[in-house]
Amino acid sequence: MTDYRLSPEITTQAQQKFSQLMVTRTLLESEKLSQGVSASRLYAYANGSLLYPQSDLDKALGQNLSLRRTYKSMVSKVASFYLPESLAASSDALPTREGEGCRISLKKSRAEPDQIYIIVELTKERDAHAEVLVVCGEDDLLAQIALPTPRNGVSQVIVEKNSEILTLLADPKSEAYVR
Amino acid sequence: MEDSTSRKIAVYIATTGGPVRVERITQEPAPQSVVCLRRSSEVLPISGDYDDFVKPGSGVIVREFGPFEDNAFRLDLSGSISAGKSWQFGVFIAHALDAAQGYALAESDDEAEEIFWLTGLVDYDLNLGPVNHIPEKLEASQLSFETWKASGKNITLCLSQKQNSEEIPALPGIEVLGLNNAMELLTVKGIYSAASSSDVIAVEPIPVTPPPPKKKSYKIWWWLIGGIALAGFIYQGYLMSLALMGVSTRGAAPIKTVQLPAPPLTSKTTPTPTSPKLERKGPEKKIYSLAESLISGIERSRKALVEKGDKYQYNDPPRVVLWPFGQDNFSLNPRAEKKLNDRLVSALLEMGSGEFTFMARDELKTIIEDMEATGALDDQGGKDPIAALLKDASNIDIMIKGSAVTDGDASLISFKAVRMDGVILAQTEPKRFKIKLRKRQQAAVKADPKIGSFTLRMRAERELYRVGEKLNLKLKLTKNAWVYCFYDQANGEIVQIFPNPPFWKSHKEPLLLGSRDYTIPGETVFPFDLIVSLPLGQEKIICYAADRNVTDTLPGELQGRSLDPIPNHTTSGIEAIFQGLPGTKVTRSDIEITVSE
């Protein structure tokens, strides 16, 4: 008989995966969660057919960890651009993030130092789809923000320095998607 | 360039919601210029146009006042401006003051030595163009004018010389300038001599020898208090000074003024006696303006139609109803909706009393509820109140139907007066009300699953478009289908945009593939631009997808052989044709957009 013991990391990963699968199954089978989120609606939100923002979905995503994971999984499949976590932690307080065909940089406003520009540059396909920036943190935190229609391949928004999305973007281990 | 001795000038941009002050201009290390609301991170929708106005190539700011370390600016405004381009003149002058030595933008009215109230378009050659809504902008600024005057400020109201002077009433204590070129204000106010950062507005003597300088003229109206009282209003006679100066935009000359006698008063220029309209403020004023547009529009259209031989039989007097807002495809707070409708009805009653009979809203609601209960509304597609009421409400002549779209933290609300045969008699321009829609209206309208077994989905980038902007749509089908799209303009004309003559040159049938994203316009399927143009108001794009090629079954004018307006068809009629196609499953998707100045 083989005695196989799971390491704590694998146990945690497995629990997360099972939880995610369970939510996905629940969504697909019952079509509704307790918060009233259907699978089709969540997918529509992820792929952009349902316009951002949707307050009920955002609320549900904020409250339900498994739903967030499912949503992140969906976004990762449909996003136009993926900007992965940095390989090395940057000492730069406002790091630039590079992805295939897309770059995200942060600039401090000179007029209002507590406000930061998030600048999304589409470096290859300038008219590619870029409506929402989704940032997923290491601890399954998730924040997203609507992007204005890119002009000459650039879309920029201003956020407060202490906003959740900026905190996540500044974390080199977070992952960003542009969908 | 500000220093402690700078002369502070408050620059206000005239808007229909009241004057908006340019609070601050800052160079920013960002790729694009932005307009922000009250120093917050809220970016206003005019930012894209502002960026174009600033950057070299398309714009004039960097060209005239640059170069700068960063060619992007952040402009902070004291209030929201959501559409239009009449802010250009105010923004241009604000940048000029920011660049001029010895001058600075006042950060508050208290520190302002002078106040500029500006509106106008500025083209690439700095020509100052006229804009719409001057009376509304003036009315919305009345309170500010009074406050500024009470605090002893010098006020200069400046607009294009091409502006209709009849739109400008007597404004005692306010200097009114009509100019040809945006630079002329700097010259007139002596700012040019201080703006040493740019040679563009540096002083150059006017040559006295040939070649003679090109003569440009501008008008100055000085409104002085007169002694004519008209029903409680003191009408100020005015003295018109016409100044002629030989000046190019790069130079200045001594101003020669010629005093002219006051022109005779005509019925158009004479201020009216005290009227309820002039005393109204805020939302009330907007509602009365909407009511006035509807009543005058209905009367104008009826007259024009009769002259063209229209035989429509109205009740005597015509019966008018207001379609309940809450029944439409957007969600207005019920209390706000009731208040808005009730106020509009009372304004309509006041203005159209005797000429129209206004039916109670509840009466209409009862008819609609009856129709819903009996399924009559479903028979009509459930969406089109005009079509639904056609058969069952024959005692109604005209229906007034409201529409709303979100505009930041408010809503743009407009009304349409539609005759029961579908002819649009009046269409108001959208007015901004501080009413939040209950939930965000979606541009994408899902197809009615009852109609077809597949779906057609259309999306626009946004709901509000300005005149001159390109309209881009995304279209997607869940399976292959034959598609026919129509553009329903605010003036009632319908144009078929797909299929279209260029499309037929390379295609045999309007077949679009399922699960593929189509862009309208695009290179092959929709090989032309959709440029949003006048008239202002609500417009709609309607697409039908059929599960077979029905082109030959459709009437010739609906086969997409022309881009001219389709004669003798209404949206309801087209809907009926598509729904009535034998042996065909049809689905529909539509998008409403609002065209604004």
Side-chain angles (χ1 to χ4, degrees):
Chain A
M1 181 176 160
T2 305
D3 184 15
Y4 181 74
R5 286 173 188 272
L6 291 174
S7 70
E9 291 80 20
I10 291 178
T11 308
T12 308
Q13 282 179 19
Q15 282 171 345
Q16 285 181 356
K17 206 72 192 171
F18 278 121
S19 168
Q20 204 173 328
L21 282 169
M22 195 174 76
V23 171
T24 309
R25 191 169 298 134
T26 311
L27 281 167
L28 293 171
E29 284 174 358
S30 68
E31 268 290 300
K32 292 220 166 173
L33 275 182
S34 56
Q35 293 95 337
V37 177
S38 69
S40 56
R41 194 146 178 268
L42 190 67
Y43 185 69
Y45 199 33
N47 72 17
S49 352
L50 193 59
L51 296 180
Y52 175 85
Q54 299 287 326
S55 55
D56 59 328
L57 283 176
D58 292 336
K59 192 177 169 189
L61 284 168
Q63 291 171 346
N64 189 323
L65 174 64
S66 300
L67 196 68
R68 267 202 308 277
R69 287 178 180 156
T70 308
Y71 180 68
K72 182 192 165 186
S73 170
M74 288 173 172
V75 168
S76 69
K77 302 277 189 303
V78 299
S80 308
F81 301 102
Y82 170 54
L83 297 101
E85 57 186 307
S86 304
L87 292 175
S90 169
S91 58
D92 189 350
L94 298 174
T96 296
R97 191 179 287 258
E98 296 272 355
E100 179 69 30
C102 185
R103 180 189 302 121
I104 298 177
S105 52
L106 307 171
K107 300 266 187 191
K108 189 186 280 187
S109 165
R110 198 171 283 146
E112 294 291 330
D114 284 341
Q115 293 172 10
I116 306 289
Y117 288 91
I118 299 177
I119 300 156
V120 177
E121 295 169 78
L122 309 181
T123 51
K124 284 187 180 167
E125 292 176 61
R126 291 186 147 214
D127 53 354
H129 208 60
E131 288 182 352
V132 180
L133 170 64
V134 184
V135 189
C136 305
E138 201 182 6
D139 302 324
D140 291 306
L141 292 172
L142 184 142
Q144 43 190 351
I145 191 167
L147 297 172
T149 308
R151 293 165 48 77
N152 299 318
V154 177
S155 180
Q156 71 180 34
V157 286
I158 304 176
V159 296
E160 297 295 332
K161 198 176 179 179
N162 56 4
S163 63
E164 193 181 3
I165 194 154
L166 196 69
T167 309
L168 285 175
L169 268 177
D171 176 3
K173 291 203 169 182
S174 64
E175 296 171 283
Y177 299 92
V178 175
R179 64 159 176 85
Chain B
M1 307 288 179
E2 184 179 0
D3 60 43
S4 57
T5 58
S6 293
R7 180 176 167 80
K8 305 277 178 60
I9 297 177
V11 174
Y12 276 91
I13 297 166
T15 81
T16 52
V20 169
R21 187 163 53 82
V22 179
E23 289 190 338
R24 181 179 60 177
I25 294 174
T26 317
Q27 286 182 56
E28 289 283 63
Q32 295 169 349
S33 295
V34 288
V35 183
C36 294
L37 181 63
R38 288 187 286 271
R39 306 183 181 216
S40 72
S41 57
E42 184 177 344
V43 175
L44 298 181
I46 57 169
S47 290
D49 286 336
Y50 173 58
D51 185 49
D52 288 339
F53 191 60
V54 165
K55 65 171 62 157
S58 59
V60 296
I61 298 299
V62 171
R63 187 193 70 191
E64 295 298 318
F65 308 116
F68 300 99
E69 186 184 343
D70 296 298
N71 277 342
F73 290 89
R74 170 183 170 135
L75 188 79
D76 282 284
L77 298 180
S78 66
S80 184
I81 301 179
S82 54
K85 289 187 178 174
S86 61
W87 47 265
Q88 287 179 334
F89 185 33
V91 167
F92 181 84
I93 294 299
H95 271 280
L97 291 171
D98 190 54
Q101 276 185 357
Y103 284 85
L105 286 171
E107 295 202 0
S108 69
D109 287 351
D110 288 343
E111 69 173 31
E113 293 172 52
E114 186 163 7
I115 289 173
F116 289 171
W117 184 100
L118 309 171
T119 186
L121 304 173
V122 177
D123 72 13
Y124 199 65
D125 296 323
L126 307 185
N127 295 313
L128 190 57
V131 296
N132 295 325
H133 310 302
I134 293 293
E136 290 91 341
K137 287 175 179 177
L138 286 169
E139 276 189 33
S141 298
Q142 282 303 321
L143 191 60
S144 298
F145 288 156
E146 294 309 318
T147 308
W148 297 334
K149 280 191 280 185
S151 57
K153 305 289 180 193
N154 291 325
I155 310 165
T156 301
L157 186 152
C158 191
L159 26 64
S160 169
Q161 193 185 34
K162 297 183 189 80
Q163 207 77 51
N164 182 2
S165 60
E166 291 175 1
E167 291 179 322
I168 305 159
L171 293 166
I174 297 176
E175 182 186 8
V176 182
L177 302 178
L179 305 177
N180 280 320
N181 187 288
M183 282 293 191
E184 287 173 8
L185 179 62
L186 304 174
T187 313
V188 170
K189 290 290 176 182
I191 297 167
Y192 65 90
S193 58
S196 59
S197 64
S198 168
D199 63 353
V200 173
I201 47 178
V203 185
E204 287 176 11
I206 300 299
V208 252
T209 51
K214 187 182 173 185
K215 292 282 183 187
K216 287 194 176 184
S217 67
Y218 65 96
K219 288 186 283 189
I220 303 178
W221 293 280
W222 285 95
W223 301 97
L224 301 176
I225 297 174
I228 307 168
L230 290 170
F233 251 54
I234 298 173
Y235 173 66
Q236 282 69 38
Y238 63 88
L239 177 72
M240 174 180 276
S241 297
L242 178 67
L244 299 169
M245 68 180 192
V247 57
S248 73
T249 57
R250 290 174 181 270
I255 297 169
K256 181 183 168 191
T257 57
V258 181
Q259 193 171 310
L260 300 177
L265 297 176
T266 66
S267 58
K268 283 183 180 173
T269 54
T270 305
T272 52
T274 304
S275 70
K277 183 189 164 195
L278 290 174
E279 289 173 351
R280 287 182 192 101
K281 303 281 180 198
E284 202 66 17
K285 189 169 58 186
K286 292 178 188 172
I287 287 168
Y288 272 81
S289 168
L290 288 167
E292 192 176 23
S293 295
L294 286 167
I295 296 289
S296 60
I298 291 170
E299 286 173 342
R300 257 200 321 273
S301 295
R302 285 182 64 199
K303 197 175 168 190
L305 286 166
V306 168
E307 284 170 3
K308 288 180 184 172
D310 180 48
K311 298 275 193 292
Y312 189 87
Q313 292 292 314
Y314 295 90
N315 289 291
D316 187 22
R319 296 165 70 93
V320 181
V321 290
L322 187 64
W323 177 261
F325 251 111
Q327 298 287 334
D328 212 337
N329 59 354
F330 69 92
S331 185
L332 201 65
N333 174 308
R335 285 179 63 189
E337 179 235 336
K338 184 175 184 321
K339 209 168 165 183
L340 184 69
N341 279 341
D342 289 350
R343 283 179 169 183
L344 183 70
V345 168
S346 72
L348 288 167
L349 279 168
E350 191 177 321
M351 293 183 171
S353 180
E355 296 168 55
F356 301 96
T357 302
F358 293 97
M359 284 178 68
R361 181 170 164 267
D362 290 344
E363 191 176 331
L364 181 64
K365 207 161 190 170
T366 308
I367 295 171
I368 295 160
E369 282 165 3
D370 286 349
M371 291 170 74
E372 279 177 335
T374 58
L377 211 53
D378 291 339
D379 294 344
Q380 299 291 342
K383 299 273 184 189
D384 191 342
I386 303 165
L389 283 168
L390 266 172
K391 293 176 187 171
D392 298 83
S394 55
N395 57 344
I396 297 167
D397 295 305
I398 298 163
M399 185 171 68
I400 291 173
K401 182 174 176 270
S403 294
V405 291
T406 53
D407 180 31
D409 57 352
S411 304
L412 287 175
I413 290 179
S414 60
F415 290 90
K416 216 183 249 187
V418 187
R419 206 164 68 177
M420 301 315 293
D421 59 355
V423 172
I424 297 173
L425 298 175
Q427 163 82 52
T428 71
E429 290 175 7
K431 296 272 180 198
R432 196 165 191 274
F433 287 86
K434 283 271 179 192
I435 302 172
K436 274 194 174 179
L437 295 187
R438 202 157 38 178
K439 62 177 184 178
R440 192 167 184 272
Q441 191 183 17
Q442 300 299 311
V445 180
K446 285 188 177 174
D448 185 347
K450 288 183 289 187
I451 303 173
S453 57
F454 54 96
T455 57
L456 163 67
R457 187 173 295 148
M458 261 198 305
R459 296 171 58 214
E461 291 163 322
R462 53 186 189 274
E463 296 163 39
L464 183 67
Y465 284 81
R466 290 179 289 272
V467 171
E469 283 190 322
K470 280 185 188 174
L471 174 64
N472 290 305
L473 303 172
K474 301 274 185 196
L475 193 147
K476 191 167 189 171
L477 288 151
T478 51
K479 69 180 203 180
N480 297 356
W482 287 259
V483 176
Y484 306 82
C485 296
F486 302 87
Y487 197 100
D488 182 14
Q489 300 185 142
N491 63 3
E493 289 182 346
I494 301 168
V495 175
Q496 186 163 7
I497 57 172
F498 186 79
N500 49 64
F503 174 87
W504 284 125
K505 286 179 185 169
S506 52
H507 295 79
K508 291 184 177 173
E509 52 186 340
L511 174 63
L512 298 187
L513 304 177
S515 302
R516 182 177 158 185
D517 286 323
Y518 286 91
T519 302
I520 308 171
E523 287 181 3
T524 52
V525 179
F526 295 89
F528 52 85
D529 285 338
L530 292 174
I531 308 286
V532 176
S533 60
L534 292 171
L536 306 180
Q538 292 261 275
E539 308 209 319
K540 192 185 255 188
I541 297 148
I542 307 159
C543 283
Y544 296 95
D547 67 347
R548 68 182 183 92
N549 185 5
V550 294
T551 309
D552 293 338
T553 319
L554 292 168
E557 61 272 23
L558 301 186
Q559 292 178 2
R561 310 288 176 187
S562 165
L563 284 168
D564 292 334
I566 300 168
N568 308 319
H569 275 289
T570 62
T571 50
S572 313
I574 292 172
E575 170 87 22
I577 289 169
F578 275 93
Q579 298 304 338
L581 287 167
T584 312
K585 285 178 180 170
V586 174
T587 189
R588 161 189 159 143
S589 181
D590 53 23
I591 290 179
E592 271 197 5
I593 63 164
T594 300
V595 178
S596 183
E597 179 199 350

mmCIF file of all heavy atoms in Angstrom, chain B residues 93 172 241 319 332 473:
data_model
loop_
_atom_site.group_PDB
_atom_site.id
_atom_site.type_symbol
_atom_site.label_atom_id
_atom_site.label_comp_id
_atom_site.label_asym_id
_atom_site.label_seq_id
_atom_site.Cartn_x
_atom_site.Cartn_y
_atom_site.Cartn_z
ATOM 1 N N ILE B 93 -9.023 80.684 -25.097
ATOM 2 C CA ILE B 93 -8.652 81.900 -24.362
ATOM 3 C C ILE B 93 -8.004 81.529 -23.020
ATOM 4 O O ILE B 93 -7.047 82.186 -22.578
ATOM 5 C CB ILE B 93 -9.903 82.798 -24.155
ATOM 6 C CG1 ILE B 93 -10.402 83.317 -25.523
ATOM 7 C CG2 ILE B 93 -9.612 83.951 -23.202
ATOM 8 C CD1 ILE B 93 -9.402 84.177 -26.290
ATOM 9 N N PRO B 172 -27.651 94.769 -19.666
ATOM 10 C CA PRO B 172 -27.080 95.965 -19.052
ATOM 11 C C PRO B 172 -25.863 95.636 -18.208
ATOM 12 O O PRO B 172 -25.860 94.652 -17.476
ATOM 13 C CB PRO B 172 -28.230 96.514 -18.196
ATOM 14 C CG PRO B 172 -29.173 95.384 -18.022
ATOM 15 C CD PRO B 172 -29.026 94.510 -19.216
ATOM 16 N N SER B 241 -21.341 100.169 -31.146
ATOM 17 C CA SER B 241 -20.074 100.705 -31.658
ATOM 18 C C SER B 241 -19.500 99.719 -32.636
ATOM 19 O O SER B 241 -19.417 98.540 -32.341
ATOM 20 C CB SER B 241 -19.100 100.879 -30.494
ATOM 21 O OG SER B 241 -19.620 101.824 -29.608
ATOM 22 N N ARG B 319 -56.286 65.883 -30.623
ATOM 23 C CA ARG B 319 -56.132 65.287 -29.292
ATOM 24 C C ARG B 319 -54.697 64.758 -29.133
ATOM 25 O O ARG B 319 -54.206 64.007 -29.963
ATOM 26 C CB ARG B 319 -57.141 64.156 -29.113
ATOM 27 C CG ARG B 319 -58.583 64.656 -29.148
ATOM 28 C CD ARG B 319 -59.558 63.516 -29.339
ATOM 29 N NE ARG B 319 -59.650 62.659 -28.166
ATOM 30 C CZ ARG B 319 -60.536 62.797 -27.200
ATOM 31 N NH1 ARG B 319 -61.417 63.777 -27.264
ATOM 32 N NH2 ARG B 319 -60.561 61.974 -26.186
ATOM 33 N N LEU B 332 -36.830 54.762 -15.751
ATOM 34 C CA LEU B 332 -36.739 56.024 -15.041
ATOM 35 C C LEU B 332 -37.376 55.812 -13.676
ATOM 36 O O LEU B 332 -38.365 55.099 -13.559
ATOM 37 C CB LEU B 332 -37.520 57.077 -15.829
ATOM 38 C CG LEU B 332 -37.217 58.539 -15.622
ATOM 39 C CD1 LEU B 332 -35.818 58.879 -16.066
ATOM 40 C CD2 LEU B 332 -38.209 59.370 -16.420
ATOM 41 N N LEU B 473 -20.486 50.384 -35.180
ATOM 42 C CA LEU B 473 -21.351 49.368 -34.598
ATOM 43 C C LEU B 473 -20.690 48.006 -34.721
ATOM 44 O O LEU B 473 -19.915 47.763 -35.636
ATOM 45 C CB LEU B 473 -22.695 49.315 -35.338
ATOM 46 C CG LEU B 473 -23.517 50.581 -35.417
ATOM 47 C CD1 LEU B 473 -24.687 50.363 -36.351
ATOM 48 C CD2 LEU B 473 -24.009 50.970 -34.050
#
